[in-house]
Amino acid sequence: FELGSLRYVNDNIKKKIDAEAKKPNAQGNPIIKAKVASIDAGNKVEITTSWFSILNSFFIIAFASMFSKWWESKYNPSAALKYGLGLIIMAIGFGILAFGSMGVEPGMRVSLFWLVFAYLFHTLGELCVSPVGLSYVSKLVPGRMIAFMFGMWYLAIAIGNYAAGSLGGMIENIQKEYSMSTFFLIFTFVPAAAGFIIILLNPVIKKLMGGVR
C-alpha cells in the first residue's frame, strides 16, 4: 500500500487503517488522520559531516591568490592590522553559527549553508593570520633562533588545537545551561575583542618591529 514515496510498514497496519476508514467521524466523513511510517530511501540524500572537510581547502585555493595580490599592492596593511582583521573575520564565522543555531533544539534540521558560510569566514581569517605569522617569524627572529621559533610556532598551534578540542567538549554543558547559540557567541566576542585590541595597539607594535614590513 504505497502513495508516492510513502508506504505503511506492514499489512496489519493497513488492515487497521482500512477498518477505521469505514467508520464515519462526527461530521459523517470517513477521513482519518494519517501518519508517515517510512520514507522511500531513493528520495533521501544523506550529507555526512566529512563532506564539509573539503571546504577549508577549497576556499584557500579560491582566495589565496586574491590575498596575495592584496599583500603585494600599495594597500598592504601592517602585520598587526592583518592579525586583527583575521581575528575579526573569524569571529564573524562564529557569529554566523550563533545566529543559525538560535532556537535550535537537539534533532532539529537546519540549513547546511550556515556551516558553509562559517567555513568561508574562518578560512578568510586563516589567510590573514597563518601565512603572515610564518612570514614574520622569519623576518623578526634572529637568524640563529629561526628553527627554534618555527618549532614554537607549531607547538602553539598544537596547544591551540588541544584547547579547541577541550572547549568544544563543553558544548553539551553550555547548551544545557544556556543554549547552543550562547556557546558560539562566546567564540564570537572573544576573538573579535582580541582583534580590536590588536588593531588599537598597531602603532606600538609597528614601533617595536623596527620598520620591518
Side-chain angles (χ1 to χ4, degrees):
F1 184 80
E2 297 187 356
L3 179 61
S5 63
L6 306 180
R7 70 166 67 90
Y8 296 106
V9 290
N10 55 47
D11 292 333
N12 292 331
I13 294 179
K14 178 182 178 300
K15 292 177 181 178
K16 183 178 180 181
I17 291 172
D18 290 339
E20 292 291 331
K22 295 177 182 178
K23 298 178 182 179
N25 56 22
Q27 286 74 33
N29 294 322
I31 300 175
I32 61 171
K33 294 181 179 180
K35 181 178 180 181
V36 177
S38 65
I39 299 177
D40 192 349
N43 296 330
K44 181 173 65 174
V45 177
E46 181 179 357
I47 300 177
T48 61
T49 54
S50 61
W51 286 25
F52 294 95
S53 62
I54 67 169
L55 291 175
N56 179 253
S57 301
F58 171 76
F59 288 135
I60 288 176
I61 295 171
F63 293 101
S65 60
M66 182 188 73
F67 276 83
S68 177
K69 290 180 180 179
W70 182 14
W71 300 158
E72 294 173 355
S73 71
K74 63 180 180 180
Y75 302 105
N76 180 26
S78 64
L81 287 177
K82 292 175 183 175
Y83 276 111
L85 184 62
L87 289 172
I88 292 170
I89 293 174
M90 184 186 70
I92 293 173
F94 281 111
I96 290 172
L97 292 177
F99 183 78
S101 60
M102 283 184 178
V104 173
E105 299 294 335
M108 289 180 63
R109 296 181 180 181
V110 296
S111 173
L112 58 85
F113 288 105
W114 296 112
L115 194 56
V116 172
F117 283 117
Y119 266 103
L120 171 62
F121 282 95
H122 288 171
T123 303
L124 295 178
E126 179 186 353
L127 287 171
C128 290
V129 174
S130 184
V132 175
L134 289 171
S135 174
Y136 281 96
V137 166
S138 62
K139 289 179 180 179
L140 296 173
V141 174
R144 59 187 177 83
M145 297 184 64
I146 287 181
F148 174 77
M149 292 308 298
F150 268 113
M152 293 300 295
W153 171 268
Y154 286 107
L155 177 61
I157 292 176
I159 295 173
N161 288 334
Y162 177 80
S166 300
L167 293 172
M170 299 178 183
I171 185 170
E172 292 185 0
N173 295 331
I174 295 177
Q175 186 177 355
K176 289 179 181 178
E177 292 290 332
Y178 304 98
S179 66
M180 186 183 298
S181 181
T182 302
F183 175 81
F184 290 119
L185 281 175
I186 294 172
F187 298 101
T188 300
F189 292 124
V190 171
F196 282 115
I197 291 172
I198 292 174
I199 291 175
L200 291 175
L201 293 175
N202 180 45
V204 178
I205 296 174
K206 286 178 67 175
K207 185 177 180 181
L208 293 173
M209 291 173 63
V212 174
R213 290 187 59 84

